[in-house]
Amino acid sequence: MIRRPPRSTLFPYTTLFRSAGTSATAIPKTEASLPTPHTHGPIPSSPPPPPPVPSSPVSFKPTAAVTPKAAEVQVTSKDSDPSSSITGTRTEHRVKMNRMRQRIAQRLKDAQNTNAMLTTFNEIDMSNVMEMRKKHQDAFLKRHNLKLGFMSAFVKASVFALLDQPVVNAVIDGPDIVYRDYVDVSVAVAAPKGLVVPVVRNAERMNYADIEKAIMVLGEKARTGSLAIEDMDGGTFTISNGGVFGSLCGTPIINPPQSAILGMHAIVERPVAVAGKIEIRPMMYVALTYDHRLIDGREAVLFLRKIKSAVEDPRVILLDL
């Protein structure tokens, strides 16, 4: 017969409960299984002492008197994203717009809000006019005491085209169309204080030398700031030469109350087809922005083609072709 060991030997850590009562007697646990108490130090029995009173009165500065300083951020990591890193200072400053710039901005915005502007383009072969300028430059300088430029050729060609297409020289005035039998060409000039457009009046009566003299006088007035209101008042057509700054192509904005503006651009040598052969020619893109309310596309394209033919071959003007 096999004897069973006592119950206390099989389950040495079993908790024994009495059948009656609420108290329970547990078998003691080992030291490794007991939780470790957290030691926080003794509990204070009195409040902490108050902070010391400053010996001198505390000065306060109003928020409005505080001037913000630009924060300087230095990038210390070489592996940081260069598109999001900022180095050095980032400041802004506000400058009041001068009255001339305000007037220019107002007139340009009025032109966009009023006119139905459309731009057409063409290109001009400058070979002949450059050859004419080079051939007669010395004689022209000796006779008229000024150099022969390209602006006089374009002003003369524009006058020739305006007389051929008088609607481009006209303007809308309420329900009427006003046609002019004279041509006053506004020439855009970059002055120190902004863009100005002095007027060459009665350009239809001028030759190349007269146009060059008028442009020289007006340009000198613009550079010295001595232009009067009368010098910029009026004008029936505007020529803007962005090519002097290297502009290759652009869409000029009409100078109100005019109906069209011609944009000249840089002269660049390009390969072109001439009589079935590829040749390198000095070419210029020209742009005509016009008021489509008054000028149809046909008149605008024919006008620009007339300028092209008169610049490429000035004999067209002499023969009235």
Side-chain angles (χ1 to χ4, degrees):
M1 182 175 180
I2 301 174
R3 298 182 60 184
R4 296 180 62 185
R7 184 180 182 89
S8 60
T9 304
L10 295 175
F11 306 100
Y13 300 105
T14 303
T15 305
L16 302 179
F17 298 93
R18 296 179 181 178
S19 59
T22 58
S23 61
T25 305
I27 298 176
K29 297 182 180 180
T30 61
E31 185 177 355
S33 63
L34 293 177
T36 305
H38 298 282
T39 304
H40 297 285
I43 299 176
S45 59
S46 60
V53 179
S55 58
S56 59
V58 180
S59 61
F60 295 94
K61 192 174 185 180
T63 306
V66 177
T67 303
K69 297 182 179 180
E72 184 173 350
V73 182
Q74 298 292 339
V75 178
T76 57
S77 176
K78 296 182 179 180
D79 299 332
S80 60
D81 185 5
S83 63
S84 61
S85 61
I86 301 175
T87 59
T89 59
R90 290 159 54 88
T91 60
E92 295 180 356
H93 66 281
R94 186 182 298 268
V95 178
K96 185 174 178 59
M97 188 184 299
N98 59 55
R99 297 187 63 181
M100 178 177 289
R101 175 54 58 184
Q102 293 180 19
R103 182 59 177 165
I104 293 173
Q106 179 183 355
R107 287 176 60 84
L108 293 179
K109 193 57 184 174
D110 290 343
Q112 284 188 326
N113 296 336
T114 302
N115 300 322
M117 290 190 292
L118 186 62
T119 305
T120 183
F121 301 90
N122 212 319
E123 60 179 359
I124 297 178
D125 185 353
M126 300 291 291
S127 300
N128 291 335
V129 68
M130 291 179 68
E131 182 182 356
M132 180 188 71
R133 180 173 179 262
K134 181 179 180 180
K135 182 178 180 180
H136 301 288
Q137 182 69 272
D138 295 337
F140 190 89
L141 178 62
K142 183 178 180 180
R143 179 177 179 83
H144 301 287
N145 197 24
L146 75 163
K147 292 183 178 181
L148 178 63
F150 296 120
M151 184 60 72
S152 57
F154 278 89
V155 172
K156 197 67 179 176
S158 298
V159 171
F160 181 66
L162 288 168
L163 296 178
D164 183 71
Q165 297 289 338
V167 67
V168 183
N169 199 42
V171 65
I172 295 177
D173 185 13
D176 303 326
I177 300 175
V178 180
Y179 290 91
R180 292 103 162 212
D181 60 354
Y182 58 92
V183 178
D184 291 345
V185 179
S186 302
V187 180
V189 178
K193 294 185 179 180
L195 184 69
V196 293
V197 280
V199 181
V200 178
R201 304 189 186 280
N202 295 326
E204 76 280 1
R205 304 177 185 176
M206 294 183 176
N207 55 25
Y208 283 80
D210 296 333
I211 294 173
E212 289 291 347
K213 291 177 182 178
I215 293 175
M216 182 186 67
V217 172
L218 294 173
E220 184 64 25
K221 286 185 178 181
R223 284 187 292 270
T224 58
S226 58
L227 278 175
I229 299 297
E230 293 77 12
D231 296 327
M232 297 179 286
D233 188 26
T236 63
F237 184 76
T238 298
I239 299 178
S240 176
N241 187 6
V244 296
F245 306 107
S247 174
L248 184 62
C249 195
T251 55
I253 299 178
I254 295 175
N255 180 24
Q258 301 173 12
S259 300
I261 180 174
L262 176 68
M264 300 168 53
H265 300 93
I267 301 174
V268 181
E269 291 188 346
R270 294 197 304 270
V272 293
V274 179
K277 298 180 180 180
I278 302 298
E279 297 184 8
I280 304 299
R281 295 291 183 92
M283 306 297 293
M284 174 193 289
Y285 288 117
V286 288
L288 177 71
T289 299
Y290 58 96
D291 188 357
H292 210 351
R293 300 177 304 163
L294 176 63
I295 306 170
D296 293 331
R298 175 181 176 273
E299 284 78 11
V301 172
L302 292 178
F303 175 83
L304 198 56
R305 288 182 58 187
K306 182 69 71 171
I307 292 179
K308 170 183 171 66
S309 61
V311 172
E312 289 183 345
D313 188 1
R315 293 173 296 183
V316 172
I317 302 176
L318 297 177
L319 298 177
D320 193 17
L321 299 178

